[in-house]
Amino acid sequence: MKQVSIIGIGLIGGSFALDLKDYMSGVHIIGIDQNEAHLKEALELEIIDQIGDLDSLKTADLVVLAIPVNAAIKALPQVLELIADHTVVIDMGSTKEAICKAVATHPRRAQFLATHPIAGTEFSGPSAAIKGLFKNKTNIICEVEKTLPVLGEEMLALFKTMGMRLRFMPANDHDKHIAYVSHLSHISSFMLGKTVIDKEKNERNIFDMAGSGFESTVRLAKSSPDMWTPIFEQNKANIIETLTEYIQNLNQFKAYMEQDDFEAVYNEMKNTNHIKQILKGIA
Amino acid sequence: MKQVSIIGIGLIGGSFALDLKDYMSGVHIIGIDQNEAHLKEALELEIIDQIGDLDSLKTADLVVLAIPVNAAIKALPQVLELIADHTVVIDMGSTKEAICKAVATHPRRAQFLATHPIAGTEFSGPSAAIKGLFKNKTNIICEVEKTLPVLGEEMLALFKTMGMRLRFMPANDHDKHIAYVSHLSHISSFMLGKTVIDKEKNERNIFDMAGSGFESTVRLAKSSPDMWTPIFEQNKANIIETLTEYIQNLNQFKAYMEQDDFEAVYNEMKNTNHIKQILKGIA
């Protein structure tokens, strides 16, 4: 593998580029992005070797889609038209059903592998790229059976080299579960931030009172709306289900408090405490 | 100051003891706790110099109350009965109105200083005690005007020596604001944990899919129900208000999604993004 074209050289695409350089000697990385400032920055930071355009896809061995999921489902069919017969294309989006559907009947479907590395931070852009971001992280692979084995295996070997754990599941299962363990957390965090900002907007210095606990729960509210709005749109049904259940649980907790049933309040917390054991598995 | 009695030698009391030893040469720390295993552990860890009982309060220069807030409002009036005329008593609870009310007319009210150092972790017990826990943290002091100046000033100087920033406010203001920037975060986190555990209980391995974002938002769900239930009980009215607003915001967000109004979804997030600037002030 010699030429890799990365479409979207932000946090994820940029971090992937840094790891590629570490694990693949002689690789030549071409960056493609609508944001010219980001392209220049990525070149200066030596994340990419060259600024390119869609023409570069004709000679690419690997094409990486690391753009917001709405842009990805539009771009992928076009990308598949432009590539050579030996090229493999991967995406890295946080939703998998829509992108798999978008190319379900595409003649070059077998050259695409749908992936979702569970890695990232609340920051964005090439300056947020981190070497080793994917190490010890889980990469969820969907519809692996629809990818040409030789291409799929090459990618899975690459992910393992980068230190990722691999999980395989159908795209609709991915979207259902990820709504609970990722998308809901983001909404919870954004709305927590909103609630506090709305209340305390005239008393900005009140945030002196906030400690690390508050920071931890609202950290995700720093995330990029450009990235997250299309995710919420594509995973609408699953997210609405999680939100409904979350709001129900909050209403129940509030009702216990209103009824002065603090034994129930205690039990709600006690029963959730074993999240400790569950979280132990998360790096 | 030579003898300090600390009632409750868990995370907060234990960490305070460790700092006292650092900043006050020759101090002798007596630990008092209902949990004998914790007392032995604290002695072994050299957090305290001696295991004691309420008799030790008679000769104490400083008494520190670091027990759950329901126990603290019961203990404080009794503690004030036992101390000498020169002794100062501080509490460190996460609610301030109830404890100030509990001793409002006590003859020894002027020997008490109500404090809330905004510091801690989701862990508990003496083994969770950390040296330097209070460094660069905010300590909120309530009703300072009701404490004998010579005693209050001695305590404030001690807190500053430990590296704390001091904020002064009425107890009811403290409880109102802390509901937003701390108590609500804990409920949000517990209910998020509950929602995900309930949904995924038959698919435990699904937590492989959880990343650092999920971990960050549910971290506080590891917190001790013994500590938090009485806090929620004492700050019931304020917390119900914050919960009501939080649930309203979540319902609004969900409604935007149901109406396919993703421009509104985007704006909700964009408008909350400046939490970045606000959080910069938090260590």
Side-chain angles (χ1 to χ4, degrees):
Chain A
M1 185 163 299
K2 282 176 185 159
Q3 188 202 308
V4 177
S5 288
I6 299 184
I7 304 177
I9 40 80
L11 164 67
I12 297 296
S15 297
F16 196 75
L18 290 173
D19 276 5
L20 275 178
K21 291 190 165 214
D22 248 22
Y23 294 112
M24 224 179 248
S25 66
V27 69
H28 184 77
I29 299 180
I30 298 176
I32 304 170
D33 205 299
Q34 286 186 331
N35 186 324
E36 285 195 26
H38 278 188
L39 280 173
K40 279 181 195 163
E41 205 180 345
L43 197 63
E44 275 164 24
L45 293 167
E46 297 183 10
I47 292 172
I48 58 172
D49 300 304
Q50 185 188 329
I51 294 173
D53 56 28
L54 293 178
D55 266 352
S56 75
L57 303 192
K58 291 174 193 162
T59 50
D61 300 296
L62 165 63
V63 178
V64 180
L65 269 177
I67 50 180
V69 296
N70 56 337
I73 60 168
K74 279 182 206 143
L76 180 58
Q78 298 165 14
V79 165
L80 291 176
E81 297 296 338
L82 295 170
I83 56 175
D85 288 346
H86 76 287
T87 312
V88 57
V89 181
I90 63 172
D91 88 306
M92 299 183 137
S94 188
T95 51
K96 297 268 69 78
E97 211 173 347
I99 200 157
C100 286
K101 266 192 192 155
V103 292
T105 58
H106 196 287
R108 286 197 187 271
R109 171 65 184 87
Q111 288 178 255
F112 168 61
L113 182 68
T115 86
H116 179 201
I118 314 287
T121 71
E122 67 274 30
F123 304 111
S124 46
S127 61
I130 300 164
K131 197 185 272 196
L133 177 69
F134 302 103
K135 193 162 180 148
N136 298 323
K137 303 295 166 57
T138 300
N139 194 352
I140 301 169
I141 313 293
C142 295
E143 299 193 350
V144 69
E145 69 285 358
K146 295 196 179 168
T147 306
L148 205 66
V150 63
L151 296 181
E153 278 158 24
E154 190 181 17
M155 285 300 100
L156 301 184
L158 174 65
F159 297 148
K160 279 189 190 164
T161 305
M162 289 180 177
M164 297 191 223
R165 289 183 295 265
L166 303 183
R167 291 282 311 270
F168 300 87
M169 66 179 71
N172 60 343
D173 279 2
H174 167 276
D175 284 11
K176 190 184 92 177
H177 295 309
I178 207 75
Y180 282 91
V181 295
S182 165
H183 302 172
L184 178 59
S185 285
H186 282 79
I187 296 175
S188 144
S189 195
F190 270 111
M191 289 304 98
L192 191 63
K194 178 186 164 75
T195 305
V196 177
I197 288 171
D198 281 357
K199 189 65 181 184
E200 305 283 10
K201 59 189 156 196
N202 298 319
E203 310 191 56
R204 291 291 294 270
N205 61 351
I206 262 10
F207 287 97
D208 291 3
M209 293 176 68
S212 60
F214 178 69
E215 191 184 18
S216 179
T217 45
V218 298
R219 179 170 72 83
L220 298 179
K222 301 178 198 170
S223 303
S224 157
D226 294 303
M227 174 181 161
W228 282 96
T229 306
I231 291 171
F232 295 156
E233 193 167 358
Q234 285 187 11
N235 206 17
K236 175 182 159 178
N238 287 313
I239 291 171
I240 285 175
E241 189 184 324
T242 69
L243 261 177
T244 303
E245 289 165 16
Y246 181 51
I247 293 168
Q248 260 167 17
N249 284 327
L250 287 164
N251 273 319
Q252 178 63 74
F253 194 93
K254 189 182 142 197
Y256 288 142
M257 285 188 65
E258 284 166 342
Q259 295 152 14
D260 285 316
D261 188 352
F262 286 96
E263 197 183 323
V265 163
Y266 178 91
N267 288 332
E268 288 282 274
M269 292 192 277
K270 193 77 193 165
N271 294 334
T272 306
N273 261 180
H274 72 275
I275 196 105
K276 280 179 205 173
Q277 280 74 48
I278 293 170
L279 288 176
K280 270 187 190 153
I282 303 177
Chain B
M1 186 161 299
K2 281 175 184 164
Q3 189 204 309
V4 178
S5 288
I6 300 184
I7 305 176
I9 40 79
L11 163 69
I12 297 296
S15 298
F16 196 74
L18 289 173
D19 276 5
L20 276 177
K21 294 193 164 209
D22 249 21
Y23 294 111
M24 224 179 248
S25 67
V27 69
H28 184 77
I29 298 179
I30 298 177
I32 303 171
D33 204 298
Q34 286 187 330
N35 186 323
E36 286 194 26
H38 277 187
L39 281 173
K40 280 182 195 163
E41 206 180 345
L43 197 62
E44 275 164 23
L45 293 168
E46 296 183 11
I47 291 171
I48 59 172
D49 300 305
Q50 186 188 326
I51 293 173
D53 57 28
L54 293 178
D55 266 353
S56 74
L57 303 192
K58 291 174 196 164
T59 49
D61 301 295
L62 165 63
V63 179
V64 179
L65 269 177
I67 50 181
V69 295
N70 55 337
I73 61 169
K74 279 182 207 145
L76 181 58
Q78 299 164 14
V79 166
L80 291 177
E81 297 296 340
L82 294 170
I83 56 175
D85 288 346
H86 76 287
T87 312
V88 57
V89 181
I90 64 172
D91 88 306
M92 300 183 136
S94 188
T95 50
K96 296 268 70 74
E97 211 173 346
I99 199 154
C100 286
K101 267 192 192 155
V103 292
T105 59
H106 197 287
R108 287 197 187 270
R109 170 65 184 86
Q111 289 179 254
F112 168 61
L113 182 68
T115 86
H116 179 200
I118 314 286
T121 70
E122 67 274 31
F123 305 111
S124 45
S127 62
I130 299 164
K131 197 184 273 197
L133 177 68
F134 302 102
K135 194 166 178 140
N136 297 322
K137 303 293 164 58
T138 299
N139 194 352
I140 300 169
I141 314 292
C142 295
E143 298 192 353
V144 70
E145 69 286 356
K146 296 195 179 170
T147 307
L148 205 65
V150 62
L151 296 180
E153 278 158 24
E154 191 181 17
M155 285 300 101
L156 301 184
L158 174 64
F159 298 148
K160 278 188 191 164
T161 305
M162 289 180 176
M164 297 192 222
R165 289 183 296 264
L166 303 182
R167 292 282 312 269
F168 299 88
M169 66 179 73
N172 61 343
D173 279 2
H174 166 276
D175 284 12
K176 190 184 93 176
H177 295 309
I178 208 74
Y180 282 91
V181 295
S182 166
H183 302 173
L184 178 60
S185 285
H186 283 79
I187 297 175
S188 144
S189 197
F190 270 111
M191 289 304 98
L192 192 64
K194 178 186 164 75
T195 305
V196 177
I197 289 172
D198 282 357
K199 188 66 182 186
E200 304 285 9
K201 59 188 156 198
N202 298 319
E203 310 191 53
R204 291 291 294 270
N205 60 352
I206 261 13
F207 287 96
D208 291 3
M209 292 176 70
S212 60
F214 179 69
E215 191 183 18
S216 181
T217 46
V218 298
R219 179 170 73 82
L220 298 179
K222 302 178 199 171
S223 304
S224 156
D226 294 302
M227 173 181 162
W228 282 95
T229 305
I231 291 172
F232 295 156
E233 193 167 359
Q234 286 188 10
N235 206 16
K236 177 181 157 178
N238 287 314
I239 291 171
I240 286 175
E241 189 185 324
T242 68
L243 261 177
T244 303
E245 289 165 17
Y246 181 50
I247 293 167
Q248 258 167 19
N249 284 327
L250 287 164
N251 273 320
Q252 178 64 75
F253 194 93
K254 188 181 144 199
Y256 288 142
M257 285 188 65
E258 285 166 340
Q259 294 152 15
D260 284 316
D261 188 352
F262 286 95
E263 198 183 322
V265 163
Y266 178 92
N267 288 332
E268 288 282 273
M269 293 192 275
K270 192 78 191 166
N271 293 335
T272 305
N273 262 178
H274 72 277
I275 196 104
K276 280 179 206 174
Q277 280 73 50
I278 293 170
L279 288 176
K280 271 187 191 156
I282 305 177

